Amino acid sequence: MISNGDRIAVGLSGGQDSLTLLWLLRERLRRIPVHYEIYPIYIDPGFEPGFGAQLKDYCSQWGLELRLEETRHGILAHSTENRENPCFLCSHLRRKRLFEIADDQGCRKLALGHNKDDLIETLFLNICYAGEICTMVPSQSFFQGKFTVIRPLAYVDETVIRKFAKENRFPVFDNPCPTSKTSKRKEVKEMLNRLYQDNANVKGNIFRALSHVRTDYLLKDHSKRRKGSGNRHESIQSRESGHDAPSAL
Ligand code: SF4
């Protein structure tokens, strides 16, 4: 995922996943003989009260300068001009801006804090709301290889990250977006948590299934991306809810 000399943009959300990621990338520099540079970025969606200034202060305590970008992406996504799901537009605009800023900073890698639970939730979101079986992957190339998105926490359980963040007293920023408490991702998360409570093997089995796909036992695609049924036929590559309590990209 990471090579000597990389300049890595790190997309922060204010959530504990991305702070854990930032902490790990910074800490790892002290422990391994691979040198890289990290550039944290936060795209503020524009809701009040925001926490960009506090996040910037926090990064500076770690010796890192946060590129804080104030936008109105979230407001626009909730306006009457937008007829899509607000998270769809908001996260699309955020991703676009993240790539632009990463490019501006000479970074060819963009690190995001998605964890194992996010990958599973995205699988179910894509099945239910995009009609596709796919999710986010740990390392993914974009724009003919110009950028690589890396997700170093892709194999880490959310509970492990929460525990780590708590032990290290990472700050908790509340996402002021009105959709953050009601998103489809949240519904899927609650459904999955019920399954996990009933059987402790379920999460591991779903995650394992992501790399054990028996395509012979799936239907052939004759639809060529059907229109209709009210679904937007576009995979959800990033977290629908931009902030995990605040959640990520
Ligand atoms: S929950 Fe996050 S992604 Fe969705 S609209 Fe609000 S700020 Fe944007």
Side-chain angles (χ1 to χ4, degrees):
M1 269 189 200
I2 296 177
S3 312
N4 210 27
D6 275 347
R7 291 166 67 89
I8 305 171
V10 186
L12 296 191
S13 64
Q16 305 204 322
D17 299 324
S18 58
L19 284 176
T20 299
L21 173 65
L22 189 64
W23 187 94
L24 284 171
L25 288 173
R26 179 174 161 274
E27 182 66 18
R28 194 170 172 267
L29 271 171
R30 298 199 301 128
R31 299 174 187 242
I32 57 163
V34 175
H35 183 73
Y36 53 87
E37 291 170 28
I38 42 184
Y39 298 89
I41 305 170
Y42 173 59
I43 311 287
D44 187 329
F47 297 105
E48 293 294 340
F51 51 82
Q54 290 104 296
L55 189 57
K56 196 172 174 71
D57 281 351
Y58 197 72
C59 287
S60 67
Q61 287 172 30
W62 287 357
L64 296 166
E65 188 177 350
L66 177 72
R67 168 83 178 257
L68 170 59
E69 179 91 352
E70 286 173 1
T71 74
R72 291 181 52 77
H73 294 166
I75 312 287
L76 182 67
H78 286 81
S79 72
T80 49
E81 284 167 56
N82 176 35
R83 287 190 284 166
E84 298 285 352
N85 174 330
C87 293
F88 181 86
L89 179 63
C90 183
S91 52
H92 169 76
L93 295 172
R94 180 175 57 247
R95 265 196 313 275
K96 184 166 176 284
R97 196 63 198 123
L98 269 177
F99 278 124
E100 286 168 358
I101 295 173
D103 194 26
D104 210 36
Q105 293 181 316
C107 300
R108 292 289 161 259
K109 286 192 178 156
L110 172 61
L112 301 174
H114 299 122
N115 59 44
K116 183 194 275 189
D117 295 66
D118 295 323
L119 269 59
I120 293 174
E121 289 157 19
T122 301
L123 170 72
F124 281 87
L125 281 166
N126 279 330
I127 291 173
C128 297
Y129 301 106
E132 290 183 350
I133 299 180
C134 62
T135 186
M136 305 178 286
V137 293
S139 175
Q140 191 170 14
S141 171
F142 283 86
F143 309 117
Q144 289 83 43
K146 182 174 179 187
F147 290 105
T148 305
V149 169
I150 57 172
R151 298 183 169 96
L153 303 180
Y155 293 90
V156 185
D157 242 89
E158 185 178 88
T159 47
V160 173
I161 295 173
R162 297 286 169 272
K163 188 164 178 278
F164 179 82
K166 195 169 175 198
E167 281 169 7
N168 285 280
R169 300 185 182 185
F170 290 170
V172 177
F173 298 113
D174 193 32
N175 182 4
C177 171
T179 303
S180 65
K181 310 281 187 288
T182 60
S183 68
K184 290 292 173 205
R185 182 171 293 273
K186 197 161 183 303
E187 285 175 25
V188 166
K189 186 185 260 309
E190 285 166 4
M191 175 199 78
L192 288 166
N193 281 338
R194 283 195 295 276
L195 294 176
Y196 300 160
Q197 275 162 16
D198 284 350
N199 183 330
N201 295 325
V202 168
K203 187 192 275 190
N205 282 340
I206 298 174
F207 198 67
R208 182 174 163 273
L210 286 174
S211 50
H212 289 81
V213 179
R214 299 177 67 180
T215 52
D216 288 353
Y217 288 84
L218 292 175
L219 302 183
K220 300 276 178 282
D221 179 11
H222 299 297
S223 65
K224 299 287 178 240
R225 287 189 167 255
R226 282 172 289 114
K227 285 214 164 117
S229 75
N231 289 339
R232 174 130 189 160
H233 284 265
E234 181 150 358
S235 312
I236 295 161
Q237 290 294 322
S238 70
R239 217 178 261 191
E240 178 205 40
S241 151
H243 310 264
D244 62 83
S247 108
L249 174 86

